[in-house]
């Protein structure tokens, strides 16, 4: 499998992606994985250790243009076709890569996901998901976490389906429980959006809907998938993420809060498009890139995208 | 000052309210405070210790009807006029009480706040606020936390004004900083609601608007007041609340997380109505009732309601 990796994406690029590539290929790994490195080939070859540099598992895709702070997220793909980010999407769209990973400009990643890569037929709005560390040690999926700050009820219903398939094939949970993030447990409680979404989720035969969840349930083990619009999802995610830094600064050391170091989960996969795209945090470290490679491998090897397609063909 | 207290409100009533009354009057307290206890007088007199029972700081307001699980929140005030909750609102509306505290049915409390007590002229939608413990030891105000799951931009602008006055007079912060909970720092980021609210907040001369805040900022000390619609506010609040229980169960003991024991902050005041009403959690303990009495005292002594009226007369 071919995984395209944007070597100039993120605040600590190319150093951290380079470290990740080195660590990935130095350690035990699936020999069928080939990493397609997009960026400045010459610089990359200088940065990579000799044995990695010439490894048959590495392929260089020269793309020397640099995306800066001032580039416009929605225009940059057209304006800088030879950037490491644009090159990754080109490889993925052409079928030369089976997945694309980047910690570059999030806006540009979302634009590329929808316009360079097609949306799966039947999916109204793709979403981005994140992991939530649960009290019992498990991990839940939360979506949308920011791609769609405003949603219609049917969007939440589709997120439930997308999240369930992700939890099933990537987390290995046979029948993922889906909760609707709301206020109050009763069907009649919540916002106008959640009240309208509830009956759709209840009627969706492709998911295991367990009803409304409240804010206090987010970090517990009541559901494997939690759905909400992207505004609230983003706030929940970032608030959870902030706990790691706070506990670190307070000198509170506990394995529970170590799991709030979101680096270890890598980025957020875009769900609802035809090919695997994983968006990293701007601050992604080598550890985060390694996690993203691992998620990409799973998304490819389980055929997740085909499963999603089949699910949305059913209705 | 006369503070009406619903002695039959909450999961642990009347025992916990009785403990709170006993502790309040046994300890150092403002001698001008008189507690008007609504509920079954005979039972209360049996439960209260002899010296408290006959204290001049206590007045009984017989209201023996019990509100049960199955009473309808919006109808119960009419259907059970002799309940401890309805009696409290009657005292407040008639001017016999200066504030009303109850941990009873939240829905009924909201209905009573709006229909028994008037909304301040100019306020479109009253809101309920909560305290947020900040990383640096301070406390912030978050609103709305559930009274208005769906809001218009102007509602958020008014919440900013209500929250600022609360932070100024109750928390003693001369010029409270107001943040708008959103995605992304830029004015153009966020949901349709926050994008439309941003310019209103920016133009509001009565508040110190500092711009958008993200989920990761909620527990930091960037603002004294954070505004959002009640759906997200409720989820943020309940997620924060859940951290206390989680850390307790994990055996993580640290003063920082002790501050997530929301009991110590008491209930949520209803802001935007003409008189002080404080809604307690169903699980309120004596400690929570004591905090609510303390907040009620402050709301009365600072003349908060008159300050809010004056502020909304200005426009």
């Amino acid at each position: 499998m071919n995984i395209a990796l944007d070597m100039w994406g993120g605040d600590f690029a190319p150093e951290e992606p380079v470290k990740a590539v080195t660590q990935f290929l130095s350690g035990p790994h699936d020999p069928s994985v080939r990493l397609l490195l997009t960026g400045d080939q010459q610089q990359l070859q200088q940065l990579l250790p000799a044995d990695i540099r010439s490894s048959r598992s590495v392929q260089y895709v020269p793309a020397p243009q640099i995306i800066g702070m001032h580039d416009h997220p929605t225009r940059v793909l057209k304006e800088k076709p030879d950037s490491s980010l644009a090159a990754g999407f080109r490889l993925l769209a052409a079928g030369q890569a089976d997945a694309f990973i980047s910690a570059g400009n999030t806006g540009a990643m979302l634009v590329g996901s929808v316009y360079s890569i097609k949306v799966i037929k039947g999916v109204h709005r793709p979403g981005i998901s994140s992991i939530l560390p649960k009290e019992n040690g498990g991990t839940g999926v939360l979506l949308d976490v920011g791609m769609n700050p405003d949603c219609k009820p049917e969007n939440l219903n589709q997120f439930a389906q997308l999240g369930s398939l992700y939890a099933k094939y990537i987390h290995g949970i046979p029948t993922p429980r889906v909760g609707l993030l709301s206020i109050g447990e009763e069907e009649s409680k919540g916002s106008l959006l959640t009240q309208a979404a509830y009956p759709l989720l209840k009627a969706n035969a492709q998911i295991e809907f367990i009803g409304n969840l409240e804010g206090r349930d987010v970090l517990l083990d009541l559901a494997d998938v939690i759905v909400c619009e992207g505004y609230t999802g983003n706030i929940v995610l970032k608030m959870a993420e902030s706990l790691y830094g706070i506990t670190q600064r307070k000198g509170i050391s506990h394995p529970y809060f170590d799991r709030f170091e979101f680096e270890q989960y890598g980025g957020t996969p875009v769900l609802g498009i035809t090919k695997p795209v994983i968006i990293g945090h701007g601050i992604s470290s080598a550890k985060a890139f390694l996690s993203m490679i691992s998620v990409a491998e799973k998304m490819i090897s389980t055929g997740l995208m085909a499963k999603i397609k089949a699910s949305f063909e059913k209705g």
Side-chain angles (χ1 to χ4, degrees), chain A:
Chain A
M1 50 183 107
N2 296 321
I3 299 174
L5 188 57
D6 175 358
M7 299 301 284
W8 258 262
D11 303 344
F12 308 115
E15 291 76 16
E16 293 298 314
V18 161
K19 266 191 228 166
V21 169
T22 307
Q23 285 171 28
F24 178 77
L25 294 176
S26 308
H29 65 276
D30 178 345
S32 79
V33 172
R34 197 156 52 143
L35 299 176
L36 316 185
L37 312 184
T38 68
D40 181 321
Q41 178 170 358
Q42 225 177 339
Q43 274 201 60
L44 281 178
Q45 286 177 321
Q46 280 165 7
L47 289 165
L48 286 165
D51 54 326
I52 303 295
R53 186 188 307 149
S54 53
S55 161
R56 281 190 303 170
S57 299
V58 158
Q59 189 184 312
Y60 300 94
V61 183
Q65 278 186 310
I66 303 286
I67 294 180
M69 290 282 288
H70 299 292
D71 281 306
H72 197 280
T74 54
R75 288 194 302 262
V76 71
L77 281 172
K78 282 193 178 168
E79 289 173 358
K80 296 193 170 168
D82 285 328
S83 61
S84 53
L85 198 153
F89 276 116
R90 211 158 41 237
L91 291 168
L92 190 60
Q96 291 170 273
D98 304 303
F100 176 44
I101 296 166
S102 171
N105 190 302
T106 303
M109 286 299 288
L110 295 176
V111 169
S113 297
V114 174
Y115 296 102
S116 298
I117 309 304
K118 294 262 177 308
V119 172
I120 287 173
K121 207 183 152 190
V123 173
H124 300 161
R125 301 268 285 273
I128 50 176
S129 68
S130 179
I131 292 298
L132 276 181
K134 296 195 283 193
E135 188 182 353
N136 71 345
T139 45
V141 179
L142 174 71
L143 77 166
D144 178 61
V145 294
M147 193 166 176
N148 309 281
D150 296 283
C151 284
K152 297 200 169 72
E154 181 56 27
N155 300 140
L156 299 195
N157 188 28
Q158 293 200 338
F159 295 159
Q161 209 168 319
L162 292 168
S164 291
L165 291 163
Y166 189 83
K168 181 171 179 176
Y169 291 103
I170 307 303
H171 294 170
I173 298 162
T175 312
R177 299 157 298 169
V178 177
L180 174 63
L181 193 56
S182 190
I183 307 184
E185 288 168 20
E186 302 89 336
E187 179 164 352
S188 61
K189 291 288 183 71
S191 65
L192 294 174
L193 174 65
T194 65
Q195 287 172 44
Y198 193 107
L200 302 181
L201 289 157
K202 206 161 87 173
N204 189 337
Q206 299 207 48
I207 60 165
E208 179 77 13
F209 182 51
I210 60 160
N212 284 344
L213 292 181
E214 298 193 74
R216 63 171 178 229
D217 306 320
V218 165
L219 300 174
L220 307 185
D221 180 37
L222 297 176
D224 303 297
V225 178
I226 299 181
V227 294
C228 60
E229 27 65 40
Y231 168 78
T232 305
N234 185 275
I235 287 161
V236 164
L237 169 63
K238 294 210 172 145
M239 193 170 148
E241 283 183 349
S242 77
L243 289 170
Y244 182 71
I246 291 172
T247 50
Q248 289 285 105
R249 291 192 292 275
K250 296 271 174 205
I252 301 169
S253 173
H254 191 279
Y256 176 65
F257 285 111
D258 291 347
R259 300 180 60 237
F260 285 80
E261 189 195 11
F262 275 69
E263 290 289 283
Q264 64 194 292
Y265 308 116
T268 56
V270 181
L271 297 178
I273 57 173
T274 53
K275 298 182 179 195
V277 172
I278 300 174
I279 306 179
H281 242 297
I283 55 160
S284 289
S285 64
K287 189 173 178 180
F289 283 104
L290 283 169
S291 306
M292 290 190 270
I293 294 171
S294 159
V295 171
E297 285 185 76
K298 269 197 186 170
M299 287 175 80
I300 298 165
S301 65
T302 58
L304 178 64
M305 273 39 200
K307 309 283 188 197
I308 295 178
K309 270 179 226 173
S311 166
F312 278 85
E313 273 164 18
K314 278 189 232 164

